[in-house]
Amino acid sequence: MPSLDRRRFLWGTTALGATAVLAGCTSNESPNAAASNAAVAGGSGENSQPGKAVTIGFSAPAADHGWMAAMTKNARAQAGRFSDVTLKATEGTNDVNQQIGQVETLINDKVDVLVILPFDGKALTEVGRQATEAGIPVVNVDRIFDTPLAYRAWIGGDNYRMGVNAGNYIAGQMKAKNISSPIIGEVAGIDSLPLTQERSQGFKDALARAGFSVGPRVAAQFTPESGEQQTANLLQGASKLDALWNHDDDQGIGVLAAIEGAGRKEFIMVGGAGSRNMMDLIKADSGVVKATVLYSPSMASSAIALARLLGQAKGIGDLAEHEIPALITTYSAVVSKENVDSYLDVGFDS
């Protein structure tokens, strides 16, 4: 299964505290060993100071595409920032049974905290409960377990809001151009997935509030190849477009290839996820890409920072609560030419 979700959470300056380097699987490297394009929680204060040593187990799917590769890279970079953290990262796998076995090994190794991005949230729920019942706090990332009894904290994206913000941006652009009845296309991801359905519903609802509607729509597979094929089909059936939303920037490589192949440039395009590739195109402002809606893999960095605080029995410094929140939903900011420089640090390579 390809990358399914993305987004960003901004912490207060005293909350998590970190800068970036790339960590080894079981130990730390010098904070001066910079990791390119790794997004980590930033700040200073008491929580950023060395404390109790914490061993964090990390498990994620195979890094077989841009977003997922960035999730693992960011987790390693965040762990490498902390002199009091040892990261035990398993080899990424898309085999559910293998991932379960890897997590069981980390449980048997008695790590202090687990950070788990499951290939399939439902399938990994039981091993999450197993860890919790063994007294190991679990930070569940993005693809959520079936029950909160399987995790201590969850951090992930808001797919509905992702669609809403894409729709709001496009609606605003159409009104600014005085286009009263725009033709707005959509290149979705895998239609059978709830996350795709949520993104599309948010997009539809936002456009409806502006008096617009979704026009030609196709569903791809979150891959460049499927994005190119399905976008070619959409363009063949739509002689004119005013705007296009593509759900996924990895997929967007193929979407742009189809647009270029068709020689089309009469519309604006909004991406989804926040790849560095798309941000560079937004900054150049020389083509159809005008914005992307974040679903940033920086959430993996925040998950590691949260795991460290859990292992040290600390809360988030800028919050009144003594404990780490149970649920943290990241926000899908719209990245456009006006603010792209502020988000380059969380862009990932497609």
Side-chain angles (χ1 to χ4, degrees), residues 259-282:
I259 292 170
E260 183 177 355
R264 301 285 290 271
K265 56 183 179 180
E266 80 277 7
F267 55 89
I268 65 168
M269 174 177 153
V270 175
S275 77
R276 181 60 185 260
N277 314 58
M278 291 300 166
M279 290 188 191
D280 287 343
L281 292 173
I282 291 165

Side-chain angles (χ1 to χ4, degrees), residues 3-349:
S3 113
L4 303 183
D5 290 303
R6 305 109 169 84
R7 211 168 289 177
R8 184 180 192 197
F9 184 83
L10 298 178
W11 298 94
T13 57
T14 64
L16 300 180
T19 57
V21 294
L22 186 65
C25 287
T26 58
S27 62
N28 304 100
E29 294 180 10
S30 165
N32 294 322
S36 63
N37 294 333
V40 296
S44 60
E46 183 180 349
N47 282 347
S48 68
Q49 301 304 310
K52 173 187 172 183
V54 177
T55 298
I56 299 173
F58 177 76
S59 175
D64 54 7
H65 55 278
W67 186 81
M68 190 60 75
M71 290 289 281
T72 297
K73 183 177 185 178
N74 287 347
R76 292 181 184 278
Q78 187 70 63
R81 161 61 179 85
F82 298 119
S83 63
D84 51 17
V85 166
T86 295
L87 186 71
K88 287 192 173 183
T90 64
E91 182 178 355
T93 178
N94 292 340
D95 182 315
V96 168
N97 291 325
Q98 185 176 2
Q99 188 175 20
I100 290 171
Q102 290 172 343
V103 173
E104 288 176 338
T105 297
L106 291 170
I107 294 171
N108 291 334
D109 288 345
K110 301 186 186 304
V111 297
D112 297 305
V113 190
L114 273 167
V115 174
I116 304 174
L117 168 54
F119 179 76
D120 182 313
K122 180 177 181 180
L124 271 288
T125 296
E126 184 55 38
V127 77
R129 289 195 65 167
Q130 183 181 335
T132 300
E133 290 167 3
I136 300 173
V138 176
V139 179
N140 178 199
V141 184
D142 201 42
R143 304 174 189 177
I144 194 166
F145 295 142
D146 275 0
T147 171
L149 297 179
Y151 60 81
R152 166 59 184 80
W154 172 86
I155 180 169
D158 182 344
N159 289 290
Y160 181 79
R161 179 75 67 173
M162 189 180 184
V164 167
N165 286 354
N168 286 342
Y169 177 83
I170 286 175
Q173 292 297 303
M174 296 300 97
K175 290 184 176 182
K177 296 173 183 290
N178 294 316
I179 302 175
S180 58
S181 299
I183 301 171
I184 301 170
E186 179 181 4
V187 183
I190 301 171
D191 257 345
S192 62
L193 296 175
L195 70 93
T196 297
Q197 297 162 18
E198 292 166 9
R199 291 178 186 183
S200 287
Q201 189 63 52
F203 189 56
K204 179 180 178 180
D205 290 350
L207 292 180
R209 284 192 292 272
F212 302 146
S213 61
V214 180
R217 182 185 185 279
V218 293
Q221 298 288 317
F222 290 119
T223 65
E225 295 79 11
S226 65
E228 182 172 8
Q229 179 181 1
Q230 293 302 322
T231 304
N233 292 339
L234 184 151
L235 295 174
Q236 287 173 5
S239 59
K240 183 182 182 299
L241 283 176
D242 294 295
L244 180 69
W245 181 41
N246 165 55
H247 285 205
D248 179 88
D249 284 344
D250 283 335
Q251 177 176 282
I253 295 172
V255 173
L256 286 174
I259 292 170
E260 183 177 355
R264 301 285 290 271
K265 56 183 179 180
E266 80 277 7
F267 55 89
I268 65 168
M269 174 177 153
V270 175
S275 77
R276 181 60 185 260
N277 314 58
M278 291 300 166
M279 290 188 191
D280 287 343
L281 292 173
I282 291 165
K283 189 175 177 69
D285 195 25
S286 59
V288 298
V289 181
K290 302 301 179 185
T292 186
V293 188
L294 290 187
Y295 202 109
S296 176
S298 60
M299 67 176 73
S301 305
S302 295
I304 294 294
L306 287 170
R308 172 178 173 266
L309 294 180
L310 284 169
Q312 295 175 343
K314 295 178 180 177
I316 297 175
D318 285 344
L319 299 185
E321 286 72 23
H322 291 197
E323 304 291 341
I324 298 293
L327 298 170
I328 298 173
T329 303
T330 62
Y331 184 70
S332 282
V334 176
V335 179
S336 64
K337 185 179 180 181
E338 288 71 28
N339 65 3
V340 63
D341 287 338
S342 299
Y343 291 101
L344 292 174
D345 64 315
V346 297
F348 62 94
D349 293 328

